[in-house]
Amino acid sequence: MRSLNQPLGGNDMPRFGGPATMMRLPAHESAEGLDACFVGIPLDIGTSNRPGTRLGPRQIRDESRMLRPYNMATGAAPFDHIQVADIGDVPINTFDLKKSVGIIETFYDEILSNRAIPLTLGGDHTLTWPILKAMKKVHGPVALIHVDAHADINEEMFGEKVAHGCPFRRAWEDGCLDNDRVFQIGLRGTGYSRDDFDWGRDRGWTVIQAEECWYKSLAPLMQQVREAVQDRPVYISFDIDSLDPAFAPGTGTVEPGGLSTWQALEIVRGCRDLNIVGCDLVEVSPPYDPTGNTALIGANLLYEMLCVLPNVPQGAK
């Protein structure tokens, strides 16, 4: 029986000490031998407003030191069932966004060649496009659960087709998405026209605006998502700005009227039993939240994603 990595416990080393990895897990040079891996993409050169997401992966890891291995709500104990480690950051070219997109895709080709499931610490939302391109080579078009304040389907920004407001337009153009199984949850705010949200609807995507989520549990919605996705490969992309800025101010493009932290947990926990092939948590910008709470929420959501991966039973004893 193989020995499984465990996070460094708070009684073995104070929480403010130990390795600066996600959940203070062992660091690996690659995804070889892993079932799942945490990987950072310190990218913010695709942002259009406030920068700082290049610092997101480091602070998410720092705030993750408070996480413990057992999920008290769901009973999941991921480190008892799958091999997990932190494989560090993608070495992007911080002066060239287009080159960085290629670097990210190649890096994820390697992760997926090892059959590991990547959980990505962002970084701005540009990064999801090259990840989805790598996913398509292995899984074909994937179902998508995209949680965000913004649709990110712009044709271009400032004349450029590569930016954090464009990844899902580019992914659609590249045939990366299973259009009948794309869900965008939490969209809101002002726009330029109805097409800002209807573009996806016109392609068969299911778009749930934030106002449809107010004052209620999202568990019934996630039941509908599970029924639609079934056993198809599915990718989860979670933009922290989907949350109301009362919970997560540390991001670049805040919008009022967003989701709550408990709704965020319902969404991720509602992905149980799905064939999840990858996840990301993006747009944490530490300079805009000196408390660290936005990164702390991001770390918890990444842990919750780990807890719903295939081969992690719920209700483990």
Side-chain angles (χ1 to χ4, degrees):
M1 184 174 180
R2 63 175 177 167
S3 175
L4 297 177
N5 295 334
Q6 297 292 324
L8 180 62
N11 292 321
D12 299 315
M13 169 69 71
R15 294 284 175 187
F16 46 81
T21 57
M22 184 68 180
M23 293 186 69
R24 306 195 302 175
L25 282 162
H28 281 213
E29 291 187 1
S30 76
E32 184 178 359
L34 302 178
D35 299 308
C37 59
F38 291 106
V39 54
I41 304 182
L43 179 76
D44 68 1
I45 51 176
T47 56
S48 57
N49 186 30
R50 305 192 303 192
T53 55
R54 68 178 62 188
L55 305 175
R58 179 164 293 190
Q59 193 180 32
I60 291 170
R61 287 183 172 107
D62 186 28
E63 299 298 340
S64 76
R65 68 188 185 272
M66 281 303 299
L67 288 166
R68 300 168 184 86
Y70 183 80
N71 192 318
M72 301 298 291
T74 68
F79 304 106
D80 291 347
H81 298 278
I82 59 175
Q83 187 72 293
V84 189
D86 188 326
I87 65 168
D89 291 338
V90 178
I92 62 151
N93 183 328
T94 197
F95 301 112
D96 192 318
L97 181 58
K98 293 174 184 177
K99 284 184 179 179
S100 292
V101 164
I103 292 168
I104 293 166
E105 183 179 351
T106 300
F107 197 97
Y108 279 74
D109 287 339
E110 176 66 20
I111 293 173
L112 296 175
S113 73
N114 285 292
R115 300 181 182 275
I117 299 174
L119 297 100
T120 302
L121 294 65
D124 75 58
H125 221 154
T126 312
L127 61 85
T128 304
W129 172 42
I131 294 174
L132 289 172
K133 290 204 291 182
M135 291 284 168
K136 181 188 174 185
K137 298 171 194 174
V138 177
H139 301 290
V142 296
L144 176 70
I145 299 171
H146 170 211
V147 190
D148 203 326
H150 312 97
D152 291 352
I153 48 77
N154 292 342
E155 171 60 25
E156 59 182 34
M157 301 184 78
F158 299 99
E160 296 291 335
K161 291 182 177 291
V162 183
H164 75 157
C166 306
F168 300 106
R169 174 76 70 107
R170 301 287 87 82
W172 173 78
E173 291 172 347
D174 289 335
C176 298
L177 303 177
D178 183 351
N179 288 307
D180 293 335
R181 297 176 178 85
V182 173
F183 296 85
Q184 294 189 305
I185 304 171
L187 306 192
R188 64 187 190 277
T190 54
Y192 294 100
S193 72
R194 291 184 60 86
D195 195 50
D196 288 3
F197 293 170
D198 286 349
W199 187 91
R201 291 185 175 112
D202 291 343
R203 281 146 186 83
W205 302 2
T206 300
V207 177
I208 300 100
Q209 293 180 219
E211 290 80 3
E212 301 173 62
C213 303
W214 289 355
Y215 315 118
K216 60 186 178 184
S217 167
L218 298 188
L221 169 64
M222 295 312 297
Q223 175 64 32
Q224 296 173 21
V225 171
R226 289 196 301 275
E227 291 172 357
V229 173
Q230 298 183 357
D231 62 352
R232 290 286 303 155
V234 58
Y235 187 87
I236 302 170
S237 186
F238 200 112
D239 189 324
I240 202 70
D241 71 24
S242 63
L243 303 185
D244 190 88
F247 301 99
T251 190
T253 316
V254 297
E255 304 282 0
L259 304 178
S260 67
T261 51
W262 43 94
Q263 288 175 318
L265 291 170
E266 287 182 315
I267 291 171
V268 178
R269 291 173 183 174
C271 294
R272 66 186 183 278
D273 302 324
L274 294 179
N275 180 20
I276 299 166
V277 295
C279 312
D280 64 52
L281 187 290
V282 299
E283 298 287 357
V284 171
S285 183
Y288 295 98
D289 185 1
T291 69
N293 285 343
T294 303
L296 178 64
I297 294 167
N300 275 268
L301 290 173
L302 282 160
Y303 168 73
E304 293 283 346
M305 293 174 191
L306 180 69
C307 287
V308 295
L309 292 187
N311 299 317
V312 178
Q314 306 297 299
K317 300 299 183 182

